[in-house]
Amino acid sequence: MRLLLVEDSQRLQELLGDSLTSAGYRLDKASTVAELDSMIEAVNYDLLIVDLGLPDGDGLTAIRGLRAKGITTPILIITARGSIDDRVSGLDSGADDYLIKPFNHSELLARVRALLRRPSDLHGPILKRGSLEFDDAKGEVRSGGKLVELRLSERRLLGTLMRRSGTVVTKAAIEEGLSQFGRELSSNAVEALVSRVRKALAEAGSEVSIETVRGVGYRLVEDSPKTNG
Ligand code: CA
């Protein structure tokens, strides 16, 4: 796995670099938007970790530019800009996840793992998370092999969250995904839909849950294993 870290603070570059390389990733480093642009032309990275405040430009604009060029490499934003509006615009720019400085290195590694898991998962006809299986072709959701009864809109929501498991999916992205499906949805409708899917997952004992990221959207997470005694 080859990663590119774009961060202009020398100190952070070293600290994060150490964490990532000791976790076994091959890591390249860049400090500017210009370096990011030229390195991504030369190497096919598995993940980009991008700071927003860069000396020669804004990371958000750079990310929008990459997506406009059709580059689909997963992108994790690392930044000190932590307001809800900042997070939403970060994710709307085409980034896949967002980490606010200062953060714990183990959290960084967890987000990196979640983002790197995605591409291979996308190729399979069946998405799996914990005991939950989503068969897009058949339109079936199973928990521990048992069919979970869901309406079409509920399955669609769950499919979106499972495809992007571990990362935040904005409410706007969910609304868009569902409106393509035939009708516009209000924010309240998304909340109601999420709560119905949550209930169905809990009743099925699915070992995954939908976390609310306040003001931003939702994230599908695998429940930590229960300990006995
Ligand atoms: Ca910076």
Side-chain angles (χ1 to χ4, degrees):
M1 289 290 177
R2 191 157 174 191
L3 278 50
L4 176 63
L5 171 64
V6 190
E7 167 63 67
D8 63 318
S9 147
Q10 211 59 42
R11 200 182 130 267
L12 257 184
Q13 229 193 49
E14 274 167 33
L15 284 173
L16 300 179
D18 286 349
S19 289
L20 291 162
T21 45
S22 38
Y25 299 111
R26 245 178 104 188
L27 184 73
D28 292 339
K29 295 172 185 172
S31 319
T32 61
V33 172
E35 280 174 11
L36 161 66
D37 284 339
S38 70
M39 288 168 91
I40 198 143
E41 293 290 324
V43 179
N44 190 9
Y45 290 103
D46 297 293
L47 173 71
L48 311 176
I49 302 173
V50 181
D51 174 34
L52 294 187
L54 294 166
D56 60 339
D58 188 81
L60 278 185
T61 314
I63 291 168
R64 272 189 214 105
L66 295 179
R67 293 305 189 226
K69 276 190 250 172
I71 294 165
T72 57
T73 314
I75 300 176
L76 172 64
I77 290 176
I78 50 170
T79 179
R81 303 178 201 166
S83 78
I84 282 173
D85 282 350
D86 287 328
R87 291 190 215 194
V88 170
S89 53
L91 295 165
D92 283 347
S93 74
D96 299 271
D97 206 356
Y98 202 100
L99 208 48
I100 294 154
K101 298 172 184 174
F103 48 80
N104 193 299
H105 287 210
S106 59
E107 184 165 18
L108 171 71
L109 294 175
R111 300 289 179 90
V112 166
R113 282 196 302 274
L115 288 167
L116 289 174
R117 224 174 24 222
R118 286 181 43 214
S120 55
D121 291 343
L122 286 171
H123 296 310
I126 299 177
L127 303 169
K128 289 184 188 177
R129 289 291 169 258
S131 61
L132 200 64
E133 287 184 5
F134 183 94
D135 186 332
D136 210 359
K138 282 191 192 164
E140 282 178 1
V141 178
R142 290 180 181 273
S143 170
K146 233 183 101 197
L147 199 66
V148 182
E149 296 283 349
L150 292 173
R151 290 183 221 170
L152 191 52
S153 56
E154 296 163 356
R155 282 205 304 271
R156 193 155 173 124
L157 167 75
L158 186 60
T160 303
L161 292 170
M162 283 183 82
R163 262 177 223 106
R164 305 199 43 192
S165 177
T167 69
V168 184
V169 183
T170 61
K171 245 184 182 177
I174 291 172
E175 283 161 20
E176 201 185 296
L178 289 164
S179 61
Q180 282 166 5
F181 161 67
R183 58 195 171 110
E184 296 289 327
L185 276 178
S186 68
S187 290
N188 285 346
V190 171
E191 278 164 27
L193 192 60
V194 167
S195 95
R196 287 204 304 273
V197 175
R198 269 188 183 136
K199 192 161 166 261
L201 293 179
E203 280 170 1
S206 68
E207 297 168 7
V208 300
S209 37
I210 302 173
E211 224 176 60
T212 301
V213 182
R214 209 163 63 85
V216 180
Y218 300 94
R219 185 194 338 247
L220 190 82
V221 292
E222 282 182 42
D223 300 338
S224 346
K226 291 181 187 73
T227 49
N228 292 316

